[in-house]
Amino acid sequence: MAKNPMEMTGGMKVPTTSMRRSSANQGFVAFAVLSLMIHVGGIGGVVWFQNRTPRRKPVETVTVELVRLGKPRDPKLLPRKTAPALAPKNEGVALDTKSESKPTKKRETKKSPEMSDAARRMLNGSDARLDDALSKLDSEEPEGQEDGDVMGTAARSDSAASKYQAEISRALRSRYALPTTIPPSQRRFLEAEFVLYIERNGTIARYEIVKEHSNQTFMTSVETMLKRTKLPPPPRELADAYLETGVGVRFKP
Amino acid sequence: MRRLSFVTLFLLASPAVASAQGSGTRAVIEIGSPDFRPYPLAIPDARNMAGGATTPSAETITDTLRWNFTFAATFKVLDPKSYLADPAREGLAAASIKFEDWVNVGAEGLIKAGVTDAGNALKVDFRFFDVASGRQLLQKSYRGKPDEAKDFARSFSDEVVEFLTGSKGIFQTRIAAVRKTKTGRELWVMDLDGSSARPVTKNKSINLLPSWSRDGSELLFTSYIRHNPNLYRIPLAGGAPKLLSGERGLNTGGAMSPDGSKVALTLSRDGNSEVYVMSSDGTGLKRLTTDWGIDSSPSWSPDGKRIAFVSSRWGDPHIFVMNADGSGVKRITDRGTYNQTPDWSPKGDLIAFTARDERNVFDIFTVNPSTKEIKRLTQDQGNNEEPGFSPDGNHIVFTSTREGRSQIWVMAVDGSNQTRITKGGGYTTPAWSPYRK
């Protein structure tokens, strides 16, 4: 039978190991509770302060008056045919790699197409502030590539790889045309994926079909385009990778 | 274990790690939003298989093929002057064709024809190739008489269209129209390119508003043979017209339902012009419209459940649509002041009509019966009237005075590729036949 520890010490209270551990735990708990209270209090204080001082922007009133350049067509009248269609995309046999590889020219500052020269002259002459505003509007043109995608995610491409991929995209997109013999009902399902192996001079050395579509007209058109297209030369440091590993291209509707 | 899962979560969530994993894979560039352009097709001269100079049948074959695919807006026939291939060396078989030469002129498709013309017997071999792969996609042979050369070329053209688009070709369809003569107005029928035009009626009376029976074997039309504008049907194979409706007053605008069981028409027997429907044998007449305004020119929807018509019930004539039993009348056009002659597309998505614009000129428009969106197809080129859809819904036939007298023209449904098909003039109210069976 085990002896009572008090008896073993002659009635004196001597702290045992378990008692010392218990007291240390109590200290940690107290510290943790205190720390929690300080943090909660701090966060609460910040939230309260934020709510107490709402930072509302003052409402700005902007008066817009449209310049009268003509009158809109009476909606009761029958429609007229609009201006001629835009010029077709480049249909040349091979791309001019020199021009393709040139850096994109800085976009010219364009006048607002909605504003006639007469209106612009009038505004320039009569109101300097408006002139300033107009030049500001011109200079605030959004950054991007002229032939980029409106749904694109980057205005510029900084790395050599992404820059070259953008050039490939631009070159292929400008020649991506399919025959109208493909029924409209099938057009939105067209999809095919290729791997292009590109020579140092930009020639497509060969391609592999990763994902084929059952519509042969679509496949033939894309393959014909690839055979006729010469891409810009890849950057020197990436030339081996584009020749050996290749780059994937997915053609979609 | 818990620590392990924590690390896994961290790795998955960290974009830096994810990109590092991705750096070993091949980049994929997406190319979308293609331009759609006509299918480039090369059609070299049909070859005389007997050797020597070309024959009239071979020329007919070549001309017909080229006309067909030039007319169809979905194709672009490449200029024969640009062809690099040597016609003397190339035969019909793929092995004898140097496809590089055809790739280099921009062709994606190649149609070849070989003609064996032996007096009164004609044999024509057609081949259609995919130029990029050098594969033969279609092959067909026809035997007959030399005057069937056009029919052979049209039949093979239809085969090519069906192969590429999945829809039947329209090159064997025909156009019916009214032609003004010295003694009156007669019904004429012609091939799609305006050739082989021949009169169907020769009664020296006034015959108007032809429309086709569903099987393409008969025409419905209004005639003053009995001095009242009655509705008749006449077989194209020959025979006398049969009276279909001889009510007092107008009996016009007969239009057969898609299943061929009913005929919608305009009658004025009750004093006012109204739309009626009856069985295709002329029995069971039922009035569909009951309005004070003038109701006329019925045209069936392709499912036969609705009818488009013209009504002046709200003042100016406009295009309306109603259920086939006369219920659920809806106004479809709310622009313009004088809209008439509706024709419902076989695809169901458009109704073509004639409208007079603010310049007092008639032009062809389409309206979407669901959205009521109106599109203009002709403009600033004389008066353009009386549109009628092709059976595939991709083309429209109409009359135009842009070159003086009223001629028959055809165009794509978007207004492009406007082509005159008649000579001589004096044509009105064209109607496009159904597919030839």
Side-chain angles (χ1 to χ4, degrees):
Chain A
M1 191 174 173
K3 288 183 179 174
N4 186 335
M6 292 291 278
E7 289 170 6
M8 289 168 71
T9 55
M12 281 180 69
K13 285 188 179 179
V14 177
T16 61
T17 311
S18 63
M19 285 172 74
R20 277 200 299 274
R21 196 176 291 154
S22 165
S23 115
N25 282 349
Q26 281 176 356
F28 177 75
V29 167
F31 171 77
V33 168
L34 185 65
S35 169
L36 188 67
M37 287 173 67
I38 290 169
H39 278 90
V40 168
I43 293 168
V46 170
V47 171
W48 174 77
F49 185 75
Q50 287 284 342
N51 288 339
R52 198 179 63 87
T53 55
R55 285 180 291 176
R56 287 182 186 164
K57 283 185 179 176
V59 176
E60 291 176 16
T61 305
V62 179
T63 307
V64 176
E65 286 186 21
L66 297 173
V67 179
R68 180 173 170 177
L69 297 172
K71 55 183 180 181
R73 190 167 174 79
D74 183 347
K76 291 284 173 196
L77 294 177
L78 291 157
R80 298 275 301 167
K81 277 193 166 183
T82 49
L86 292 170
K89 287 184 181 176
N90 175 24
E91 286 188 9
V93 172
L95 287 175
D96 181 357
T97 51
K98 284 182 183 173
S99 62
E100 281 295 324
S101 59
K102 278 182 189 171
T104 312
K105 282 183 185 174
K106 192 180 175 186
R107 207 171 184 186
E108 288 178 15
T109 308
K110 291 176 183 170
K111 291 178 181 179
S112 170
E114 291 81 17
M115 187 167 292
S116 69
D117 286 336
R120 183 176 285 270
R121 277 199 302 276
M122 184 190 76
L123 289 172
N124 283 345
S126 64
D127 194 332
R129 282 176 305 168
L130 275 174
D131 190 33
D132 287 347
L134 281 172
S135 61
K136 211 172 189 179
L137 274 175
D138 280 347
S139 65
E140 284 176 0
E141 192 173 8
E143 189 183 4
Q145 297 292 317
E146 279 184 340
D147 48 358
D149 194 327
V150 288
M151 302 298 285
T153 53
R156 294 181 298 140
S157 50
D158 293 326
S159 76
S162 60
K163 197 172 180 179
Y164 183 57
Q165 284 168 21
E167 286 179 15
I168 294 174
S169 173
R170 195 158 48 237
L172 293 176
R173 194 186 294 258
S174 68
R175 301 173 60 81
Y176 186 29
L178 301 174
T180 43
T181 50
I182 299 174
S185 59
Q186 291 180 22
R187 290 178 189 177
R188 62 198 173 105
F189 304 110
L190 302 172
E191 188 175 326
E193 193 174 323
F194 293 74
V195 178
L196 312 184
Y197 298 91
I198 304 164
E199 302 263 20
R200 286 175 189 279
N201 66 358
T203 307
I204 298 172
R206 63 191 173 92
Y207 60 79
E208 288 171 5
I209 300 172
V210 178
K211 185 180 174 189
E212 189 172 6
H213 194 273
S214 58
N215 188 311
Q216 281 308 304
T217 307
F218 167 60
M219 291 302 295
T220 301
S221 289
V222 174
E223 287 187 62
T224 305
M225 179 192 74
L226 292 177
K227 284 174 186 167
R228 289 182 192 168
T229 301
K230 189 173 180 186
L231 298 169
R236 196 173 296 168
E237 65 272 25
L238 297 171
D240 288 342
Y242 279 105
L243 185 59
E244 289 161 17
T245 313
V247 61
V249 180
R250 189 179 296 131
F251 292 94
K252 299 185 76 174
Chain B
M1 182 69 187
R2 190 176 295 164
R3 188 173 293 165
L4 184 66
S5 63
F6 213 61
V7 170
T8 312
L9 266 176
F10 173 73
L11 287 175
L12 286 174
S14 165
V17 175
S19 77
Q21 284 175 337
S23 65
T25 60
R26 187 186 290 123
V28 177
I29 303 166
E30 286 206 347
I31 310 288
S33 308
D35 276 348
F36 279 90
R37 44 113 180 101
Y39 181 84
L41 189 61
I43 307 175
D45 291 343
R47 189 183 165 97
N48 179 5
M49 300 306 280
T54 185
T55 65
S57 299
E59 283 177 4
T60 303
I61 295 282
T62 306
D63 293 346
T64 307
L65 288 172
R66 285 183 187 156
W67 190 93
N68 287 350
F69 290 102
T70 303
F71 155 78
T74 45
F75 293 88
K76 179 188 174 189
V77 177
L78 300 171
D79 186 355
K81 288 175 194 160
S82 70
Y83 298 170
L84 302 171
D86 183 356
R89 289 188 179 180
E90 277 202 357
L92 292 187
S96 67
I97 297 171
K98 197 177 168 192
F99 285 100
E100 265 180 45
D101 287 345
W102 297 107
V103 168
N104 288 336
V105 297
E108 288 187 17
L110 170 67
I111 294 180
K112 290 222 153 201
V115 179
T116 309
D117 204 345
N120 205 26
L122 178 71
K123 184 190 171 208
V124 189
D125 288 308
F126 291 100
R127 311 279 172 97
F128 173 52
F129 298 96
D130 173 56
V131 169
S133 64
R135 277 190 304 144
Q136 181 178 295
L137 303 175
L138 284 174
Q139 176 184 2
K140 200 145 189 182
S141 293
Y142 298 84
R143 287 171 189 274
K145 293 179 179 173
D147 61 2
E148 292 178 278
K150 267 193 176 185
D151 294 334
F152 297 160
R154 287 180 186 137
S155 174
F156 190 72
S157 302
D158 282 343
E159 299 266 352
V160 172
V161 168
E162 189 162 5
F163 179 85
L164 289 172
T165 68
S167 303
K168 286 179 83 171
I170 55 166
F171 300 119
Q172 296 183 83
T173 57
R174 289 168 293 172
I175 307 283
V178 170
R179 188 170 194 190
K180 193 174 180 182
T181 62
K182 286 178 184 173
T183 53
R185 292 171 192 271
E186 304 287 358
L187 301 189
W188 282 61
V189 169
M190 66 199 79
D191 292 339
L192 180 54
D193 58 2
S195 65
S196 307
R198 65 178 180 89
V200 177
T201 60
K202 294 175 186 169
N203 53 35
K204 298 180 181 176
S205 180
I206 295 174
N207 304 282
L208 303 166
L209 300 167
S211 74
W212 292 83
S213 64
R214 286 298 140 189
D215 62 0
S217 66
E218 291 181 315
L219 287 178
L220 276 60
F221 68 106
T222 297
S223 179
Y224 282 80
I225 309 168
R226 299 182 191 173
H227 309 293
N228 186 62
N230 294 337
L231 187 68
Y232 296 86
R233 61 196 306 166
I234 185 166
L236 290 172
K242 292 175 188 169
L243 183 69
L244 202 57
S245 175
E247 300 285 336
R248 189 170 56 91
L250 290 174
N251 299 259
T252 61
M256 196 165 272
S257 63
D259 65 1
S261 66
K262 294 174 187 166
V263 173
L265 72 163
T266 306
L267 300 178
S268 63
R269 65 176 194 171
D270 300 323
N272 189 29
S273 174
E274 302 286 353
V275 176
Y276 289 72
V277 70
M278 63 184 181
S279 298
S280 54
D281 60 2
T283 62
L285 192 66
K286 184 190 168 193
R287 182 169 166 172
L288 298 182
T289 57
T290 51
D291 200 86
W292 68 268
I294 292 172
D295 300 311
S296 65
S297 309
S299 174
W300 294 86
S301 66
D303 61 4
K305 292 179 178 172
R306 291 185 291 170
I307 293 172
F309 64 105
V310 178
S311 179
S312 63
R313 63 187 62 194
W314 290 8
D316 297 326
H318 275 284
I319 309 300
F320 286 70
V321 164
M322 64 181 164
N323 294 327
D325 61 0
S327 65
V329 176
K330 274 198 305 187
R331 181 172 160 175
I332 298 298
T333 56
D334 51 12
R335 301 178 75 172
T337 56
Y338 199 90
N339 303 331
Q340 54 178 347
T341 67
D343 190 55
W344 209 314
S345 162
K347 289 183 176 176
D349 56 343
L350 295 172
I351 295 171
F353 64 99
T354 307
R356 189 180 63 198
D357 70 8
E358 74 273 16
R359 302 173 189 203
N360 280 330
V361 174
F362 288 98
D363 272 307
I364 310 290
F365 296 79
T366 56
V367 60
N368 182 317
S370 304
T371 64
K372 299 185 182 178
E373 184 191 6
I374 293 177
K375 283 187 182 165
R376 187 175 199 132
L377 304 186
T378 58
Q379 181 171 290
D380 300 336
Q381 289 181 305
N383 283 306
N384 303 281
E385 300 176 72
E386 300 153 349
F389 274 101
S390 61
D392 63 357
N394 291 332
H395 297 85
I396 291 174
V397 63
F398 62 102
T399 56
S400 180
T401 59
R402 67 187 68 182
E403 292 182 357
R405 297 184 69 191
S406 179
Q407 302 273 13
I408 294 181
W409 289 66
V410 285
M411 63 179 163
V413 73
D414 62 358
S416 65
N417 256 27
Q418 297 189 8
T419 310
R420 178 173 53 78
I421 64 167
T422 53
K423 294 173 189 169
Y427 290 97
T428 53
T429 60
W432 210 309
S433 80
Y435 289 113
R436 185 173 279 190
K437 305 214 168 167

mmCIF file of all heavy atoms in Angstrom, chain B residues 105-137:
data_model
loop_
_atom_site.group_PDB
_atom_site.id
_atom_site.type_symbol
_atom_site.label_atom_id
_atom_site.label_comp_id
_atom_site.label_asym_id
_atom_site.label_seq_id
_atom_site.Cartn_x
_atom_site.Cartn_y
_atom_site.Cartn_z
ATOM 1 N N VAL B 105 -2.642 28.584 -104.985
ATOM 2 C CA VAL B 105 -3.590 29.616 -105.453
ATOM 3 C C VAL B 105 -4.655 29.891 -104.391
ATOM 4 O O VAL B 105 -5.564 30.683 -104.612
ATOM 5 C CB VAL B 105 -4.264 29.232 -106.791
ATOM 6 C CG1 VAL B 105 -3.224 29.116 -107.886
ATOM 7 C CG2 VAL B 105 -5.085 27.960 -106.683
ATOM 8 N N GLY B 106 -4.533 29.242 -103.251
ATOM 9 C CA GLY B 106 -5.446 29.536 -102.139
ATOM 10 C C GLY B 106 -6.675 28.666 -102.091
ATOM 11 O O GLY B 106 -7.606 28.946 -101.338
ATOM 12 N N ALA B 107 -6.702 27.584 -102.876
ATOM 13 C CA ALA B 107 -7.897 26.731 -102.892
ATOM 14 C C ALA B 107 -7.916 25.808 -101.677
ATOM 15 O O ALA B 107 -6.863 25.348 -101.227
ATOM 16 C CB ALA B 107 -7.926 25.908 -104.165
ATOM 17 N N GLU B 108 -9.086 25.581 -101.152
ATOM 18 C CA GLU B 108 -9.253 24.549 -100.122
ATOM 19 C C GLU B 108 -10.020 23.360 -100.689
ATOM 20 O O GLU B 108 -9.877 22.246 -100.213
ATOM 21 C CB GLU B 108 -9.971 25.124 -98.900
ATOM 22 C CG GLU B 108 -9.072 26.061 -98.118
ATOM 23 C CD GLU B 108 -9.659 26.535 -96.812
ATOM 24 O OE1 GLU B 108 -10.627 25.915 -96.308
ATOM 25 O OE2 GLU B 108 -9.174 27.550 -96.302
ATOM 26 N N GLY B 109 -10.835 23.630 -101.691
ATOM 27 C CA GLY B 109 -11.579 22.572 -102.361
ATOM 28 C C GLY B 109 -11.314 22.617 -103.855
ATOM 29 O O GLY B 109 -10.997 23.674 -104.407
ATOM 30 N N LEU B 110 -11.393 21.471 -104.499
ATOM 31 C CA LEU B 110 -11.151 21.394 -105.944
ATOM 32 C C LEU B 110 -12.209 20.483 -106.556
ATOM 33 O O LEU B 110 -12.389 19.347 -106.110
ATOM 34 C CB LEU B 110 -9.744 20.823 -106.194
ATOM 35 C CG LEU B 110 -9.381 20.451 -107.637
ATOM 36 C CD1 LEU B 110 -9.296 21.704 -108.506
ATOM 37 C CD2 LEU B 110 -8.040 19.709 -107.666
ATOM 38 N N ILE B 111 -12.931 21.018 -107.553
ATOM 39 C CA ILE B 111 -13.912 20.195 -108.272
ATOM 40 C C ILE B 111 -13.380 19.926 -109.669
ATOM 41 O O ILE B 111 -13.000 20.861 -110.386
ATOM 42 C CB ILE B 111 -15.284 20.891 -108.356
ATOM 43 C CG1 ILE B 111 -15.901 21.012 -106.967
ATOM 44 C CG2 ILE B 111 -16.224 20.118 -109.280
ATOM 45 C CD1 ILE B 111 -17.255 21.686 -106.961
ATOM 46 N N LYS B 112 -13.345 18.672 -110.028
ATOM 47 C CA LYS B 112 -12.898 18.301 -111.369
ATOM 48 C C LYS B 112 -14.011 17.547 -112.078
ATOM 49 O O LYS B 112 -14.775 16.801 -111.439
ATOM 50 C CB LYS B 112 -11.672 17.408 -111.269
ATOM 51 C CG LYS B 112 -10.444 18.153 -110.788
ATOM 52 C CD LYS B 112 -9.251 17.725 -111.579
ATOM 53 C CE LYS B 112 -8.194 18.788 -111.644
ATOM 54 N NZ LYS B 112 -7.298 18.578 -112.756
ATOM 55 N N ALA B 113 -14.096 17.770 -113.367
ATOM 56 C CA ALA B 113 -15.113 17.078 -114.153
ATOM 57 C C ALA B 113 -14.472 16.555 -115.425
ATOM 58 O O ALA B 113 -13.652 17.230 -116.053
ATOM 59 C CB ALA B 113 -16.266 18.025 -114.491
ATOM 60 N N GLY B 114 -14.842 15.356 -115.784
ATOM 61 C CA GLY B 114 -14.392 14.766 -117.036
ATOM 62 C C GLY B 114 -15.594 14.390 -117.879
ATOM 63 O O GLY B 114 -16.513 13.736 -117.390
ATOM 64 N N VAL B 115 -15.604 14.850 -119.133
ATOM 65 C CA VAL B 115 -16.780 14.680 -119.988
ATOM 66 C C VAL B 115 -16.454 13.751 -121.162
ATOM 67 O O VAL B 115 -15.469 13.961 -121.862
ATOM 68 C CB VAL B 115 -17.261 16.053 -120.521
ATOM 69 C CG1 VAL B 115 -18.477 15.895 -121.430
ATOM 70 C CG2 VAL B 115 -17.569 16.994 -119.366
ATOM 71 N N THR B 116 -17.286 12.747 -121.306
ATOM 72 C CA THR B 116 -17.171 11.883 -122.482
ATOM 73 C C THR B 116 -18.420 12.110 -123.321
ATOM 74 O O THR B 116 -19.520 11.709 -122.936
ATOM 75 C CB THR B 116 -17.076 10.401 -122.072
ATOM 76 O OG1 THR B 116 -16.052 10.274 -121.085
ATOM 77 C CG2 THR B 116 -16.761 9.517 -123.253
ATOM 78 N N ASP B 117 -18.232 12.816 -124.422
ATOM 79 C CA ASP B 117 -19.356 13.264 -125.240
ATOM 80 C C ASP B 117 -19.358 12.446 -126.534
ATOM 81 O O ASP B 117 -18.539 12.679 -127.416
ATOM 82 C CB ASP B 117 -19.166 14.756 -125.547
ATOM 83 C CG ASP B 117 -20.472 15.442 -125.846
ATOM 84 O OD1 ASP B 117 -21.455 14.738 -126.086
ATOM 85 O OD2 ASP B 117 -20.493 16.681 -125.822
ATOM 86 N N ALA B 118 -20.271 11.482 -126.597
ATOM 87 C CA ALA B 118 -20.293 10.618 -127.785
ATOM 88 C C ALA B 118 -21.611 10.807 -128.518
ATOM 89 O O ALA B 118 -22.536 10.003 -128.394
ATOM 90 C CB ALA B 118 -20.111 9.169 -127.373
ATOM 91 N N GLY B 119 -21.675 11.903 -129.251
ATOM 92 C CA GLY B 119 -22.884 12.160 -130.038
ATOM 93 C C GLY B 119 -24.099 12.384 -129.171
ATOM 94 O O GLY B 119 -24.223 13.416 -128.516
ATOM 95 N N ASN B 120 -24.941 11.399 -129.117
ATOM 96 C CA ASN B 120 -26.191 11.556 -128.372
ATOM 97 C C ASN B 120 -26.095 11.025 -126.946
ATOM 98 O O ASN B 120 -27.078 11.027 -126.219
ATOM 99 C CB ASN B 120 -27.301 10.814 -129.128
ATOM 100 C CG ASN B 120 -28.664 11.411 -128.804
ATOM 101 O OD1 ASN B 120 -28.745 12.585 -128.452
ATOM 102 N ND2 ASN B 120 -29.703 10.593 -128.922
ATOM 103 N N ALA B 121 -24.929 10.572 -126.566
ATOM 104 C CA ALA B 121 -24.739 10.035 -125.206
ATOM 105 C C ALA B 121 -23.684 10.860 -124.479
ATOM 106 O O ALA B 121 -22.654 11.205 -125.063
ATOM 107 C CB ALA B 121 -24.313 8.573 -125.277
ATOM 108 N N LEU B 122 -23.970 11.147 -123.259
ATOM 109 C CA LEU B 122 -23.058 11.961 -122.461
ATOM 110 C C LEU B 122 -22.731 11.242 -121.161
ATOM 111 O O LEU B 122 -23.628 10.737 -120.470
ATOM 112 C CB LEU B 122 -23.709 13.322 -122.164
ATOM 113 C CG LEU B 122 -22.904 14.286 -121.306
ATOM 114 C CD1 LEU B 122 -21.709 14.832 -122.087
ATOM 115 C CD2 LEU B 122 -23.775 15.436 -120.829
ATOM 116 N N LYS B 123 -21.453 11.207 -120.836
ATOM 117 C CA LYS B 123 -21.047 10.671 -119.544
ATOM 118 C C LYS B 123 -20.174 11.720 -118.867
ATOM 119 O O LYS B 123 -19.264 12.269 -119.485
ATOM 120 C CB LYS B 123 -20.261 9.367 -119.727
ATOM 121 C CG LYS B 123 -19.897 8.726 -118.397
ATOM 122 C CD LYS B 123 -18.919 7.581 -118.586
ATOM 123 C CE LYS B 123 -18.425 7.115 -117.233
ATOM 124 N NZ LYS B 123 -17.106 6.539 -117.260
ATOM 125 N N VAL B 124 -20.508 12.015 -117.618
ATOM 126 C CA VAL B 124 -19.735 13.019 -116.874
ATOM 127 C C VAL B 124 -19.283 12.420 -115.555
ATOM 128 O O VAL B 124 -20.088 11.869 -114.804
ATOM 129 C CB VAL B 124 -20.567 14.297 -116.607
ATOM 130 C CG1 VAL B 124 -19.676 15.378 -116.028
ATOM 131 C CG2 VAL B 124 -21.241 14.799 -117.865
ATOM 132 N N ASP B 125 -17.974 12.507 -115.312
ATOM 133 C CA ASP B 125 -17.407 12.085 -114.026
ATOM 134 C C ASP B 125 -17.019 13.318 -113.228
ATOM 135 O O ASP B 125 -16.315 14.189 -113.748
ATOM 136 C CB ASP B 125 -16.150 11.236 -114.258
ATOM 137 C CG ASP B 125 -16.496 9.874 -114.806
ATOM 138 O OD1 ASP B 125 -17.338 9.202 -114.193
ATOM 139 O OD2 ASP B 125 -15.940 9.508 -115.868
ATOM 140 N N PHE B 126 -17.498 13.358 -111.985
ATOM 141 C CA PHE B 126 -17.162 14.497 -111.113
ATOM 142 C C PHE B 126 -16.339 13.985 -109.935
ATOM 143 O O PHE B 126 -16.597 12.898 -109.403
ATOM 144 C CB PHE B 126 -18.434 15.145 -110.555
ATOM 145 C CG PHE B 126 -19.260 15.868 -111.571
ATOM 146 C CD1 PHE B 126 -20.385 15.281 -112.130
ATOM 147 C CD2 PHE B 126 -18.936 17.170 -111.946
ATOM 148 C CE1 PHE B 126 -21.168 15.952 -113.047
ATOM 149 C CE2 PHE B 126 -19.714 17.847 -112.872
ATOM 150 C CZ PHE B 126 -20.838 17.245 -113.423
ATOM 151 N N ARG B 127 -15.390 14.788 -109.515
ATOM 152 C CA ARG B 127 -14.613 14.499 -108.304
ATOM 153 C C ARG B 127 -14.514 15.786 -107.490
ATOM 154 O O ARG B 127 -14.409 16.886 -108.045
ATOM 155 C CB ARG B 127 -13.190 14.045 -108.642
ATOM 156 C CG ARG B 127 -13.086 12.962 -109.698
ATOM 157 C CD ARG B 127 -13.340 11.593 -109.130
ATOM 158 N NE ARG B 127 -13.416 10.597 -110.199
ATOM 159 C CZ ARG B 127 -12.394 9.819 -110.577
ATOM 160 N NH1 ARG B 127 -11.235 9.943 -109.967
ATOM 161 N NH2 ARG B 127 -12.537 8.936 -111.546
ATOM 162 N N PHE B 128 -14.527 15.613 -106.175
ATOM 163 C CA PHE B 128 -14.323 16.754 -105.286
ATOM 164 C C PHE B 128 -13.202 16.391 -104.315
ATOM 165 O O PHE B 128 -13.265 15.348 -103.660
ATOM 166 C CB PHE B 128 -15.623 17.080 -104.534
ATOM 167 C CG PHE B 128 -15.473 18.138 -103.482
ATOM 168 C CD1 PHE B 128 -14.885 19.363 -103.771
ATOM 169 C CD2 PHE B 128 -15.924 17.931 -102.185
ATOM 170 C CE1 PHE B 128 -14.734 20.341 -102.798
ATOM 171 C CE2 PHE B 128 -15.793 18.899 -101.212
ATOM 172 C CZ PHE B 128 -15.192 20.103 -101.521
ATOM 173 N N PHE B 129 -12.184 17.265 -104.243
ATOM 174 C CA PHE B 129 -11.003 16.972 -103.434
ATOM 175 C C PHE B 129 -10.824 18.014 -102.331
ATOM 176 O O PHE B 129 -11.148 19.195 -102.516
ATOM 177 C CB PHE B 129 -9.731 17.007 -104.306
ATOM 178 C CG PHE B 129 -9.729 15.983 -105.386
ATOM 179 C CD1 PHE B 129 -10.147 16.300 -106.681
ATOM 180 C CD2 PHE B 129 -9.291 14.679 -105.134
ATOM 181 C CE1 PHE B 129 -10.131 15.358 -107.690
ATOM 182 C CE2 PHE B 129 -9.271 13.725 -106.155
ATOM 183 C CZ PHE B 129 -9.703 14.068 -107.428
ATOM 184 N N ASP B 130 -10.274 17.528 -101.229
ATOM 185 C CA ASP B 130 -9.761 18.439 -100.209
ATOM 186 C C ASP B 130 -8.307 18.707 -100.588
ATOM 187 O O ASP B 130 -7.488 17.785 -100.608
ATOM 188 C CB ASP B 130 -9.861 17.791 -98.825
ATOM 189 C CG ASP B 130 -9.187 18.627 -97.768
ATOM 190 O OD1 ASP B 130 -9.562 19.804 -97.634
ATOM 191 O OD2 ASP B 130 -8.277 18.125 -97.087
ATOM 192 N N VAL B 131 -8.026 19.962 -100.886
ATOM 193 C CA VAL B 131 -6.720 20.295 -101.450
ATOM 194 C C VAL B 131 -5.596 20.094 -100.432
ATOM 195 O O VAL B 131 -4.525 19.593 -100.766
ATOM 196 C CB VAL B 131 -6.742 21.751 -101.975
ATOM 197 C CG1 VAL B 131 -5.346 22.231 -102.324
ATOM 198 C CG2 VAL B 131 -7.654 21.855 -103.188
ATOM 199 N N ALA B 132 -5.831 20.469 -99.185
ATOM 200 C CA ALA B 132 -4.756 20.403 -98.184
ATOM 201 C C ALA B 132 -4.263 18.968 -97.988
ATOM 202 O O ALA B 132 -3.064 18.723 -97.905
ATOM 203 C CB ALA B 132 -5.248 20.981 -96.863
ATOM 204 N N SER B 133 -5.196 18.050 -97.932
ATOM 205 C CA SER B 133 -4.802 16.669 -97.663
ATOM 206 C C SER B 133 -4.661 15.852 -98.943
ATOM 207 O O SER B 133 -4.112 14.746 -98.907
ATOM 208 C CB SER B 133 -5.844 16.003 -96.762
ATOM 209 O OG SER B 133 -7.091 15.936 -97.433
ATOM 210 N N GLY B 134 -5.169 16.364 -100.047
ATOM 211 C CA GLY B 134 -5.131 15.623 -101.296
ATOM 212 C C GLY B 134 -6.115 14.461 -101.333
ATOM 213 O O GLY B 134 -6.021 13.593 -102.190
ATOM 214 N N ARG B 135 -7.041 14.494 -100.398
ATOM 215 C CA ARG B 135 -8.009 13.383 -100.334
ATOM 216 C C ARG B 135 -9.181 13.642 -101.265
ATOM 217 O O ARG B 135 -9.662 14.775 -101.392
ATOM 218 C CB ARG B 135 -8.551 13.233 -98.911
ATOM 219 C CG ARG B 135 -7.644 12.418 -98.000
ATOM 220 C CD ARG B 135 -8.346 12.108 -96.713
ATOM 221 N NE ARG B 135 -8.817 13.296 -96.039
ATOM 222 C CZ ARG B 135 -9.951 13.370 -95.351
ATOM 223 N NH1 ARG B 135 -10.744 12.340 -95.258
ATOM 224 N NH2 ARG B 135 -10.302 14.487 -94.733
ATOM 225 N N GLN B 136 -9.669 12.574 -101.876
ATOM 226 C CA GLN B 136 -10.896 12.681 -102.668
ATOM 227 C C GLN B 136 -12.083 12.543 -101.725
ATOM 228 O O GLN B 136 -12.196 11.555 -100.997
ATOM 229 C CB GLN B 136 -10.936 11.584 -103.727
ATOM 230 C CG GLN B 136 -12.183 11.657 -104.587
ATOM 231 C CD GLN B 136 -12.187 10.592 -105.663
ATOM 232 O OE1 GLN B 136 -11.358 10.600 -106.547
ATOM 233 N NE2 GLN B 136 -13.121 9.678 -105.566
ATOM 234 N N LEU B 137 -12.947 13.540 -101.715
ATOM 235 C CA LEU B 137 -14.073 13.540 -100.780
ATOM 236 C C LEU B 137 -15.360 13.018 -101.435
ATOM 237 O O LEU B 137 -16.191 12.425 -100.764
ATOM 238 C CB LEU B 137 -14.317 14.953 -100.237
ATOM 239 C CG LEU B 137 -13.122 15.611 -99.540
ATOM 240 C CD1 LEU B 137 -13.458 17.052 -99.154
ATOM 241 C CD2 LEU B 137 -12.727 14.828 -98.292
#
